[in-house]
Amino acid sequence: MLGLKRRNYVVLIAMVLIMSLLAVGCGGSQDQNAGQDAADSDVIKIGVFEPLTGVNAAGGQMTLEGIELAKEMYPEILGKKVEIVTVDNKSEKQEAANAVERLITQEKVNLIIGSYGSSLAMAGGPIAKREGTPVIGCSPTNPAVTLDNDFYFRVCFIDPFQGTVMSNYATETLGAKTAAIIQDVQQDYSVGLSNYFEKAFKATNGDAAIVAKLNYNTGDKDFSAQLTEVKSKNPDVIFAPGNFLECGILVAKARELGINVPILGGDTWEAEEFLNQVVDYQDIYFSTHFTAEEPVTEVSTTFLEAFAQKYPNKEVNAFAALGFDTYILAKDAIERANSADPQAIRDALAATSGFEGATGIITLDANGDATKTAVIKKVENGQFVYEAKVDPK
Amino acid sequence: MDKHAKLKFILTLLVVLVSFGALYIAQGTMNSFYIRVLNLAAIYAILALSLNLILGFTGMFSLGHAGFMCIGSYVAGILTMSPASKEIIYFMEPIHPLLANVQWPILPAILLGGIIAALFGFMIGFPALRLRDDYLAIATLGFAEIIRIVVTNVIPITNGALGLKNIPSVDSLLVYWGCAIVTLIVLMRIINSSWGYAFKAIRDNEIAAQAMGINIFKHKLLSFTIGAFFAGIAGALMAFLITSIDPTMYRFTFTFQILLIVVLGGMGSLSGSVIAAVIFSILMEVLRFVEQPMNLLGLEISGIPGMRMVIFSLGLLLIILFYRRGLMGTNEFNWNWVLNRLGIKTSHQGKRGEAN
C-alpha cells in the first residue's frame, strides 16, 4: 500500500496550490474594479522602489529624502494630487522584481522612480518594459540598466562617462602619463569604472600607461600587498573607485606608506565615512553628480534652500539631489505629455532635452541615459571642496 | 490492507488533476504580480525541500545552498542568453569563444544547471562530509563563498561582478510549479526508499547506523549531491524569473532565508517545507502594508521600512521558543488524517514521523 500512499505528497502540493490560488484570487477580483485606467484617475501615482533595508539602505534612504522633498514642494501635477507609493526592495533582486510588479499591477502607478544599486534596477527593468510603464532611475550608473529597455531612463551619468571624465582629468589637469588601478572585483560599479578609465587612459597615453591593475574584495581591510606593488611601479596617479568604507582605509594606508601621488575615485566617495578616514590628507579627487558650493542651475539653489529647511541636521548629498531631480523630471514629463498615460509619459521622457535639474542640465540620449555635467571634488583641509566641472562632449 | 486505498488513490488523482487545471486557469486569469509571487514560492519550495533533505532527513548541518544555487543560475543563464546579447553584456572582456554562440532551450538548461550543481556538490561533499555538525556548517559556508568568489573572478565566463542580463524570461506557473512537484515526488520516493531509511538512521544516530552496516559516508554524499542538484534547478529557475543575475545575490544570507523556511515548516517534513515556502513568499508581500503609512484610530503612523522582517523575526523567535518542531514537525500530510476528520474510520491512524 505504500506505493499509493506516497502519492499523498502530490496531494499536499496540490492542496497548497489551490489554497494559495484561492487566497490570491480573492484579492485579485477587488482591484479589477478599482481604477481600471490609471490615466483617468484623479490622482497621479508615482511608485518608488528603493532599498530601504539591507546593504544598500543608506543610499536608498538618501534618495527617498530627495524625492519626498520634491513632492512636498510640488504636490500637484496637471492639477491632480500626486500620491507616492514607496516599496522597499530589501537590497535583494527578487524583492526588487516583486516590488516593480506590485507597483504596476497592484498599485497601478503611472510612473516609477528607482532604484539605487544597478543590479536592483536591472531586476525591475524587464518588468517595466513588458508592462509599458516608464521608470526613471536616480543613481544606477551601470550602462546595462537602460540597455535594450525603452522604458528605463536615468538622471545620473553612467560609468563610462565617469571613468572617462576621471581619465581626462588625470591626463589634462594632473599631467599624468602613467596610472595604477586598484578595483573592488566584487562591485560592478568599481569594475565598470575601472574598465572605462583604463580604456580612456590607454587611448590618450598608450597601452603601457596602465602600470598595474590590482584587485581586492568587498570587506577587505588590509591593502598593503596591493599598495606595495603600486608603490614599486611608481605611477603618476592611482585610480581606485569603490565603496567608501574600503576606499577610505585604502587611501589612508597609501598615504601612510608614503605614496603621495594623486588618488582618484568615483561618486561613492562622497560620504562622511570616507572623509573621516582621509581627513589629514590631500590630492584626493573624485567625480560626483552635484556640488553645493557651485550651484550649477537655478534649480540647484532652490533645492539647497529647501533641503536645508526640511533636513536642518543633514548634509546635502548627491543622492538626495538625484532623487529630487527624478521627481521634477517626472513632473516635467507628465506636463509635457499633458497626460498621465504611461506610454505618453514615456514618449515625453524620451524627448527630454536641456532639462534644468538640481544636478545640472539633463538631456536624455537614445538609450535613456543622461548626458550632463560631472563635478570633480577634492579633499582639502578635511573637507570636500569643489574642484572643477566637466561638460559632456 | 488499507481498505480505503482505492479511495485515497482517487482523491489523490483528483487533486492532481484539479491542481493542474487550477494552474492552467490561473495562468490565464491571474495578473502577473500574483503569478510572480507564486513562481517565487515554487523556487523557495524547491530550495527548502532540497535543504530539508540534507538538514532535516540526513542531519547534516550544511550552509552551502546559496553556492549551489549560484552555479545553477549561471549555467542556465549563460546557456540560454542569445549570442547577440552576450556580445553586448560581456563588454569588459569578451565571452569565452566556446560559449559565445551557445543558445539552448529552457528545459535542458535547467537540467544541466542542476547536474553541474550536483557535480560541485559531489566534489565539495567529498572532503567536507568527513566533518560533522558545526564544523560541517563552517566548511560548507566557506565553500559557498568560494563558489561565489570564483564566479566573481572568472570574467570571460561569468562576466564577473557585472552579472548577466537579458536572460530569457519565463513566467509560466506550469514550469515553476511543475519543477516543484517533480522535486517533491522524487524526494518523497527517495525518502521512502532504502536510501531514505539510511538517511534517517544516520540523522537519528550515526554510530548506531554504522553499527547496523550502513555506509555512512556514501549515504551522506548521496544526500548532499541530490540536495545540490535540486538547489541548482532552483537557481536556474531564479535566473529565468528575474532575468538578470549577479554574484551578490548568492551571499550566505540567502541560505539563512531558506533555512528559516525549513525551520518554520519543520525539519524532516517535506510537506512542511512546501507549506512554509508558500506562506513565506505570500506573507512577504501581504505584510508590506505594515511598512506603509497608516492611520490608526486617528493616529498617523509613518511607514517604517523593515517592519516585515521584524514580524518575521518575532515569528521565528516564538516558534523556536514554544513550537520548536515547526509547522509540521516531522509529520507529513496524509489522507488518513483527512478521512478521520470526515468521520471515515481508516485502518490505522496517521502515524507520526511516517510518510504514509
Side-chain angles (χ1 to χ4, degrees):
Chain A
M1 283 305 104
L2 264 172
L4 277 182
K5 285 170 200 157
R6 282 180 194 150
R7 287 170 218 273
N8 291 344
Y9 289 98
V10 184
V11 178
L12 172 93
I13 275 273
M15 296 280 274
V16 170
L17 260 180
I18 290 173
M19 268 163 19
S20 53
L21 290 191
L22 282 178
V24 287
C26 296
S29 53
Q30 293 166 350
D31 55 74
Q32 266 171 5
N33 310 327
Q36 261 292 1
D37 194 357
D40 293 337
S41 145
D42 55 351
V43 287
I44 289 181
K45 272 189 161 185
I46 295 183
V48 177
F49 80 114
E50 286 287 342
L52 301 175
T53 55
V55 283
N56 293 334
Q61 201 68 51
M62 287 193 270
T63 313
L64 191 61
E65 280 167 7
I67 298 169
E68 277 170 353
L69 176 68
K71 195 234 165 187
E72 242 170 58
M73 293 172 68
Y74 310 102
E76 282 189 0
I77 302 176
L78 293 176
K80 293 176 183 177
K81 241 184 102 197
V82 177
E83 189 187 327
I84 288 195
V85 187
T86 312
V87 287
D88 174 21
N89 62 33
K90 254 180 88 194
S91 316
E92 279 175 18
K93 282 179 88 107
Q94 58 270 38
E95 284 276 326
N98 275 1
V100 170
E101 191 92 71
R102 180 183 195 93
L103 286 172
I104 296 172
T105 51
Q106 299 301 105
E107 307 285 352
K108 308 217 182 291
V109 296
N110 306 78
L111 175 132
I112 296 174
I113 293 176
S115 162
Y116 179 94
S118 296
S119 71
L120 299 171
M122 273 189 263
I127 299 162
K129 181 184 176 187
R130 189 191 68 214
E131 304 282 342
T133 303
V135 189
I136 313 176
C138 317
S139 53
T141 50
N142 186 332
V145 171
T146 53
L147 192 77
D148 248 354
N149 193 336
D150 294 338
F151 285 84
Y152 223 112
F153 303 90
R154 59 180 142 200
V155 295
C156 55
F157 46 64
I158 56 176
D159 293 343
F161 177 64
Q162 209 175 163
T164 314
V165 161
M166 288 321 279
S167 163
N168 291 346
Y169 185 76
T171 323
E172 287 158 20
T173 314
L174 302 174
K177 290 270 172 287
T178 55
I181 294 173
I182 307 178
Q183 61 177 0
D184 180 346
V185 77
Q186 285 194 29
Q187 299 284 334
D188 55 344
Y189 164 84
S190 175
V191 176
L193 239 66
S194 301
N195 192 260
Y196 288 105
F197 179 88
E198 187 180 350
K199 275 183 190 154
F201 202 79
K202 277 183 177 168
T204 44
N205 299 305
D207 270 355
I210 301 290
V211 292
K213 190 171 184 182
L214 302 161
N215 297 334
Y216 66 92
N217 288 307
T218 311
D220 281 2
K221 296 205 166 49
D222 177 25
F223 303 98
S224 0
Q226 289 94 335
L227 290 168
T228 318
E229 190 172 345
V230 166
K231 198 177 175 188
S232 71
K233 296 274 165 63
N234 200 17
D236 294 338
V237 291
I238 299 171
F239 186 60
N243 283 346
F244 50 79
L245 266 176
E246 287 87 353
C247 288
I249 302 172
L250 188 146
V251 173
K253 186 75 187 170
R255 291 291 185 250
E256 271 173 39
L257 288 173
I259 303 175
N260 290 318
V261 298
I263 303 182
L264 279 53
D267 58 330
T268 45
W269 281 12
E270 195 175 14
E272 204 67 21
E273 290 87 340
F274 178 77
L275 190 59
N276 291 340
Q277 291 277 354
V278 299
V279 82
D280 300 329
Y281 307 114
Q282 51 196 353
D283 273 342
I284 298 159
Y285 304 88
F286 60 90
S287 54
T288 186
H289 308 267
F290 176 71
T291 173
E293 293 160 12
E294 189 95 339
V296 232
T297 63
E298 275 174 38
V299 183
S300 316
T301 327
T302 323
F303 164 73
L304 285 170
E305 281 164 9
F307 191 91
Q309 207 172 14
K310 184 162 177 179
Y311 306 105
N313 302 320
K314 282 184 181 158
E315 282 280 321
V316 174
N317 57 69
F319 297 113
L322 287 170
F324 185 87
D325 276 0
T326 42
Y327 183 88
I328 57 172
L329 175 62
K331 172 176 176 284
D332 180 67
I334 295 171
E335 279 166 359
R336 273 187 285 131
N338 197 20
S339 149
D341 174 53
Q343 183 64 43
I345 299 175
R346 190 219 84 90
D347 295 341
L349 272 174
T352 301
S353 171
F355 174 76
E356 229 179 79
T359 59
I361 310 286
I362 298 167
T363 298
L364 296 181
D365 65 13
N367 291 328
D369 297 332
T371 41
K372 61 192 261 203
T373 314
V375 171
I376 291 177
K377 287 190 180 181
K378 65 177 174 184
V379 177
E380 200 174 76
N381 301 327
Q383 274 181 324
F384 292 139
V385 182
Y386 167 75
E387 168 73 14
K389 257 192 281 193
V390 183
D391 291 317
K393 282 172 187 147
Chain B
M1 178 74 197
D2 188 346
K3 59 184 171 182
H4 292 290
K6 208 170 180 183
L7 175 67
K8 287 182 198 168
F9 178 69
I10 291 169
L11 278 173
T12 309
L13 208 65
L14 210 68
V15 172
V16 171
L17 285 177
V18 168
S19 61
F20 270 97
L23 280 178
Y24 186 74
I25 296 167
Q27 187 71 44
T29 53
M30 279 204 308
N31 74 26
S32 47
F33 174 66
Y34 296 128
I35 291 179
R36 174 170 293 272
V37 172
L38 283 184
N39 284 341
L40 193 61
I43 293 175
Y44 283 151
I46 299 175
L47 284 169
L49 284 168
S50 55
L51 186 61
N52 210 345
L53 177 75
I54 299 174
L55 182 68
F57 287 97
T58 326
M60 295 183 290
F61 196 13
S62 158
L63 295 177
H65 238 52
F68 299 130
M69 202 184 160
C70 178
I71 292 170
S73 290
Y74 269 93
V75 170
I78 292 168
L79 286 179
T80 53
M81 275 167 71
S82 70
S85 29
K86 276 180 194 163
E87 216 180 299
I88 311 171
I89 305 286
Y90 286 73
F91 62 78
M92 279 199 304
E93 279 178 38
I95 185 167
H96 194 277
L98 270 180
L99 297 169
N101 290 313
V102 182
Q103 193 178 8
W104 285 26
I106 305 283
L107 287 177
I110 294 177
L111 207 62
L112 195 71
I115 290 171
I116 294 194
L119 209 67
F120 273 82
F122 182 80
M123 290 194 305
I124 290 168
F126 209 78
L129 292 179
R130 292 165 200 279
L131 302 169
R132 277 190 209 172
D133 305 331
D134 328 6
Y135 303 103
L136 177 64
I138 294 166
T140 46
L141 189 70
F143 273 118
E145 283 293 290
I146 290 172
I147 290 175
R148 197 170 66 82
I149 301 222
V150 168
V151 165
T152 312
N153 285 284
V154 284
I155 297 170
I157 297 174
T158 60
N159 203 23
L162 292 169
L164 301 178
K165 202 199 164 204
N166 279 2
I167 299 167
S169 162
V170 177
D171 55 3
S172 155
L173 278 170
L174 285 170
V175 172
Y176 295 89
W177 276 104
C179 285
I181 291 175
V182 169
T183 308
L184 186 64
I185 293 173
V186 170
L187 289 185
M188 168 192 99
R189 288 268 170 190
I190 287 174
I191 278 161
N192 288 319
S193 70
S194 65
W195 287 356
Y197 291 127
F199 293 166
K200 282 182 259 183
I202 293 171
R203 171 192 68 190
D204 292 338
N205 191 330
E206 210 173 308
I207 296 168
Q210 199 163 21
M212 295 299 292
I214 293 173
N215 185 340
I216 304 275
F217 184 69
K218 178 191 138 193
H219 282 99
K220 277 186 169 181
L221 197 57
L222 203 62
S223 162
F224 198 71
T225 309
I226 297 168
F229 173 79
F230 286 110
I233 299 259
L237 292 174
M238 191 66 116
F240 295 126
L241 183 69
I242 299 184
T243 74
S244 68
I245 50 175
D246 64 78
T248 52
M249 275 173 82
Y250 306 102
R251 276 186 293 246
F252 62 89
T253 43
F254 193 83
T255 307
F256 289 122
Q257 222 170 70
I258 306 305
L259 195 63
L260 179 131
I261 295 175
V262 172
V263 172
L264 275 178
M267 283 198 268
S269 167
L270 293 179
S271 13
S273 287
V274 178
I275 295 173
V278 173
I279 292 180
F280 178 81
S281 27
I282 291 181
L283 266 192
M284 279 302 272
E285 285 305 313
V286 170
L287 281 178
R288 273 196 195 274
F289 79 91
V290 298
E291 293 181 5
Q292 299 298 327
M294 277 185 285
N295 195 339
L296 202 71
L297 300 170
L299 199 69
E300 288 280 342
I301 305 169
S302 59
I304 309 162
M307 270 310 277
R308 286 181 297 166
M309 296 320 289
V310 173
I311 292 180
F312 262 107
S313 315
L314 278 179
L316 191 67
L317 208 65
L318 289 177
I319 284 186
I320 297 295
L321 282 176
F322 300 111
Y323 204 67
R324 203 165 296 171
R325 299 165 46 238
L327 281 176
M328 298 287 286
T330 50
N331 298 335
E332 298 292 358
F333 174 86
N334 67 53
W335 281 120
N336 288 338
W337 183 84
V338 177
L339 292 179
N340 281 332
R341 283 296 156 101
L342 292 174
I344 304 167
K345 279 273 176 287
T346 50
S347 53
H348 54 89
Q349 305 282 321
K351 265 191 290 174
R352 179 181 285 187
E354 279 296 318
N356 35 288

